[in-house]
Amino acid sequence: MMTYLPTDSKMQSAPSVHIMDASLVYGEKILFDQLAIDISPSRWTVLLGPSGVGKTTLLRLIAGLETPAQGVIESGDKRPLEGRISYMAQQDLLLPWLTLRENATLGSRLRGQNTTAQRTVVEELLEKVGLAGAANMLPAACSGGMRQRAALVRTLMENQPLVLMDEPFSSLDAITRLQLQDIAADLLSQRTVLLVTHDPLEALRLGHRIHVMTGRPARIGDAIVPDGSTPRQVSDPRLVMLQAELLTELAGAAQEPLA
């Protein structure tokens, strides 16, 4: 068993997140008006919707990078969310002059936490994601898939119970994407995850609860709750049927104006 995952006290307290009556205005545009969503603890909640509808902005609200005009964003345990969130973006954002290992441990080293235990953890994680032999490589010498694996390790090294993911696998080829979905589902199984994606299949493979965001002001639809444990197999006929239904819902959402 890896020293990193199941026994960590933070993972035993992965919080739910509740957003109630959130409103946000950009210029003269009302992006959110009384927006509400519940994010279940220790589960993957997935959010889809047209570009520009406000999915990334919702992540930023939860992360404290945007301030709502009104409304409440709180954890189910009533503890502050600040300091309990890690964020994985679409781009890997690796520093080009650092090796993959150095990028993965950047946060802990800046906090003065470069302990023997931390060094052991990063080596275990690099091996888990298939980067043990590439840990000393610079990002420029690595494929996009390798860089995103390193970004996933960096996210895990933050060791936070709430993980926000903004299309983290969208730039990858289909096979690498499936592989990283499997790895992420495994390594983030004890955390509360909110994933933004444009890929219905990715949502259905990883999500315990799936929502579609539509319109302006944005609203969030009722949850789709697929059967079975994650990551679900792409060959599962139930997944194929749900994918068709989800695509139909997304096509309808794309017709709604965002002006």
Side-chain angles (χ1 to χ4, degrees):
M1 179 182 294
M2 295 178 64
T3 60
Y4 184 72
L5 294 173
T7 58
D8 193 301
S9 61
K10 287 182 180 179
M11 297 309 100
Q12 296 169 8
S13 60
S16 59
V17 178
H18 307 288
I19 300 173
M20 296 164 282
D21 298 325
S23 298
L24 185 68
V25 178
Y26 275 153
E28 298 181 354
K29 293 183 178 180
I30 302 174
L31 191 61
F32 301 148
D33 183 22
Q34 298 184 320
L35 189 76
I37 184 173
D38 291 322
I39 301 168
S40 300
S42 302
R43 292 290 185 271
W44 285 65
T45 300
V46 183
L47 195 61
L48 301 101
S51 295
V53 74
K55 302 183 299 298
T56 295
T57 301
L58 182 59
L59 294 186
R60 291 176 59 83
L61 279 177
I62 296 170
L65 301 175
E66 300 279 357
T67 302
Q70 66 180 43
V72 176
I73 301 172
E74 64 180 14
S75 66
D77 58 17
K78 306 303 181 183
R79 294 169 53 197
L81 288 171
E82 183 179 0
R84 294 199 287 167
I85 297 173
S86 57
Y87 196 116
M88 186 174 176
Q90 181 176 356
Q91 303 300 321
D92 59 69
L93 303 178
L94 301 181
L95 297 179
W97 56 87
L98 298 181
T99 66
L100 298 187
R101 180 189 290 109
E102 291 168 339
N103 268 288
T105 58
L106 180 61
S108 59
R109 290 187 291 113
L110 289 174
R111 291 188 295 268
Q113 298 171 340
N114 189 27
T115 63
T116 299
Q118 288 281 312
R119 291 192 292 272
T120 298
V121 166
V122 76
E123 296 306 323
E124 290 177 337
L125 288 173
L126 288 167
E127 182 175 2
K128 181 74 173 180
V129 303
L131 290 178
N136 293 319
M137 295 174 63
L138 294 174
C142 300
S143 68
M146 293 169 69
R147 293 194 299 269
Q148 281 301 89
R149 288 168 193 257
L152 177 59
V153 173
R154 181 184 57 199
T155 300
L156 287 162
M157 287 299 294
E158 291 302 298
N159 201 17
Q160 299 299 342
L162 174 58
V163 180
L164 306 177
M165 308 182 82
D166 192 1
E167 300 185 60
F169 311 131
S170 63
S171 62
L172 304 176
D173 66 84
I175 300 303
T176 302
R177 187 168 186 162
L178 290 174
Q179 292 171 343
L180 274 185
Q181 288 168 3
D182 289 346
I183 291 169
D186 176 22
L187 295 180
L188 294 171
S189 63
Q190 302 299 313
R191 292 160 170 76
T192 300
V193 179
L194 178 58
L195 169 68
V196 165
T197 181
H198 283 288
D199 183 353
L201 181 58
E202 181 168 86
L204 292 166
R205 291 199 76 221
L206 296 176
H208 297 96
R209 297 174 65 85
I210 300 165
H211 298 268
V212 175
M213 180 183 279
T214 60
R216 176 72 49 81
R219 62 186 184 277
I220 296 176
D222 293 338
I224 299 169
V225 184
D227 294 330
S229 59
T230 63
R232 300 178 185 88
Q233 297 302 309
V234 294
S235 58
D236 187 337
R238 296 172 299 178
L239 215 63
V240 176
M241 292 179 62
L242 275 176
Q243 185 177 11
E245 294 177 14
L246 191 51
L247 280 168
T248 300
E249 185 173 350
L250 287 168
Q255 301 303 313
E256 296 194 31
L258 297 178

